[in-house]
PDB file of all heavy atoms in Angstrom:
ATOM      1  N   GLY A 200       9.355   3.145  -8.069  1.00 96.00           N
ATOM      2  CA  GLY A 200      10.130   4.025  -7.200  1.00 96.00           C
ATOM      3  C   GLY A 200      11.359   3.345  -6.646  1.00 96.00           C
ATOM      4  O   GLY A 200      12.427   3.963  -6.497  1.00 96.00           O
ATOM      5  N   THR A 201      11.232   2.060  -6.354  1.00 98.00           N
ATOM      6  CA  THR A 201      12.383   1.297  -5.863  1.00 98.00           C
ATOM      7  C   THR A 201      13.418   1.140  -6.968  1.00 98.00           C
ATOM      8  O   THR A 201      14.628   1.330  -6.737  1.00 98.00           O
ATOM      9  CB  THR A 201      11.931  -0.091  -5.370  1.00 98.00           C
ATOM     10  OG1 THR A 201      10.986   0.082  -4.324  1.00 98.00           O
ATOM     11  CG2 THR A 201      13.112  -0.901  -4.851  1.00 98.00           C
ATOM     12  N   VAL A 202      12.968   0.815  -8.169  1.00 97.00           N
ATOM     13  CA  VAL A 202      13.891   0.645  -9.293  1.00 97.00           C
ATOM     14  C   VAL A 202      14.630   1.947  -9.591  1.00 97.00           C
ATOM     15  O   VAL A 202      15.813   1.929  -9.957  1.00 97.00           O
ATOM     16  CB  VAL A 202      13.145   0.132 -10.539  1.00 97.00           C
ATOM     17  CG1 VAL A 202      14.050   0.125 -11.766  1.00 97.00           C
ATOM     18  CG2 VAL A 202      12.592  -1.268 -10.284  1.00 97.00           C
ATOM     19  N   ARG A 203      13.943   3.084  -9.407  1.00 96.00           N
ATOM     20  CA  ARG A 203      14.620   4.368  -9.630  1.00 96.00           C
ATOM     21  C   ARG A 203      15.790   4.570  -8.669  1.00 96.00           C
ATOM     22  O   ARG A 203      16.714   5.336  -8.956  1.00 96.00           O
ATOM     23  CB  ARG A 203      13.627   5.520  -9.494  1.00 96.00           C
ATOM     24  CG  ARG A 203      12.754   5.721 -10.713  1.00 96.00           C
ATOM     25  CD  ARG A 203      12.062   7.078 -10.680  1.00 96.00           C
ATOM     26  NE  ARG A 203      11.130   7.195  -9.590  1.00 96.00           N
ATOM     27  CZ  ARG A 203       9.849   6.844  -9.656  1.00 96.00           C
ATOM     28  NH1 ARG A 203       9.376   6.326 -10.777  1.00 96.00           N
ATOM     29  NH2 ARG A 203       9.054   6.992  -8.627  1.00 96.00           N
ATOM     30  N   ASN A 204      15.741   3.901  -7.540  1.00 97.00           N
ATOM     31  CA  ASN A 204      16.837   3.995  -6.573  1.00 97.00           C
ATOM     32  C   ASN A 204      17.888   2.918  -6.779  1.00 97.00           C
ATOM     33  O   ASN A 204      18.797   2.777  -5.962  1.00 97.00           O
ATOM     34  CB  ASN A 204      16.285   3.906  -5.146  1.00 97.00           C
ATOM     35  CG  ASN A 204      15.686   5.202  -4.678  1.00 97.00           C
ATOM     36  OD1 ASN A 204      16.373   6.112  -4.249  1.00 97.00           O
ATOM     37  ND2 ASN A 204      14.365   5.314  -4.805  1.00 97.00           N
ATOM     38  N   LEU A 205      17.746   2.148  -7.867  1.00 97.00           N
ATOM     39  CA  LEU A 205      18.682   1.064  -8.166  1.00 97.00           C
ATOM     40  C   LEU A 205      19.272   1.265  -9.560  1.00 97.00           C
ATOM     41  O   LEU A 205      18.893   0.592 -10.517  1.00 97.00           O
ATOM     42  CB  LEU A 205      17.959  -0.291  -8.092  1.00 97.00           C
ATOM     43  CG  LEU A 205      17.355  -0.672  -6.743  1.00 97.00           C
ATOM     44  CD1 LEU A 205      16.465  -1.903  -6.886  1.00 97.00           C
ATOM     45  CD2 LEU A 205      18.461  -0.917  -5.716  1.00 97.00           C
ATOM     46  N   PRO A 206      20.206   2.202  -9.711  1.00 97.00           N
ATOM     47  CA  PRO A 206      20.791   2.451 -11.033  1.00 97.00           C
ATOM     48  C   PRO A 206      21.514   1.223 -11.564  1.00 97.00           C
ATOM     49  O   PRO A 206      21.906   0.340 -10.804  1.00 97.00           O
ATOM     50  CB  PRO A 206      21.763   3.605 -10.762  1.00 97.00           C
ATOM     51  CG  PRO A 206      22.102   3.490  -9.320  1.00 97.00           C
ATOM     52  CD  PRO A 206      20.846   3.010  -8.659  1.00 97.00           C
ATOM     53  N   ARG A 207      21.678   1.168 -12.876  1.00 95.00           N
ATOM     54  CA  ARG A 207      22.338   0.023 -13.489  1.00 95.00           C
ATOM     55  C   ARG A 207      23.761  -0.166 -12.970  1.00 95.00           C
ATOM     56  O   ARG A 207      24.211  -1.290 -12.736  1.00 95.00           O
ATOM     57  CB  ARG A 207      22.362   0.184 -15.009  1.00 95.00           C
ATOM     58  CG  ARG A 207      21.011  -0.053 -15.663  1.00 95.00           C
ATOM     59  CD  ARG A 207      20.612  -1.508 -15.555  1.00 95.00           C
ATOM     60  NE  ARG A 207      19.317  -1.779 -16.178  1.00 95.00           N
ATOM     61  CZ  ARG A 207      18.708  -2.952 -16.146  1.00 95.00           C
ATOM     62  NH1 ARG A 207      19.270  -3.963 -15.500  1.00 95.00           N
ATOM     63  NH2 ARG A 207      17.544  -3.117 -16.730  1.00 95.00           N
ATOM     64  N   LEU A 208      24.488   0.920 -12.816  1.00 94.00           N
ATOM     65  CA  LEU A 208      25.862   0.839 -12.339  1.00 94.00           C
ATOM     66  C   LEU A 208      25.910   1.046 -10.825  1.00 94.00           C
ATOM     67  O   LEU A 208      25.354   2.016 -10.310  1.00 94.00           O
ATOM     68  CB  LEU A 208      26.737   1.897 -13.023  1.00 94.00           C
ATOM     69  CG  LEU A 208      26.927   1.751 -14.536  1.00 94.00           C
ATOM     70  CD1 LEU A 208      27.763   2.901 -15.077  1.00 94.00           C
ATOM     71  CD2 LEU A 208      27.580   0.416 -14.866  1.00 94.00           C
TER      72      LEU A 208
END
Side-chain angles (χ1 to χ4, degrees):
T201 300
V202 172
R203 281 195 295 271
N204 281 279
L205 299 170
R207 286 292 180 184
L208 295 178

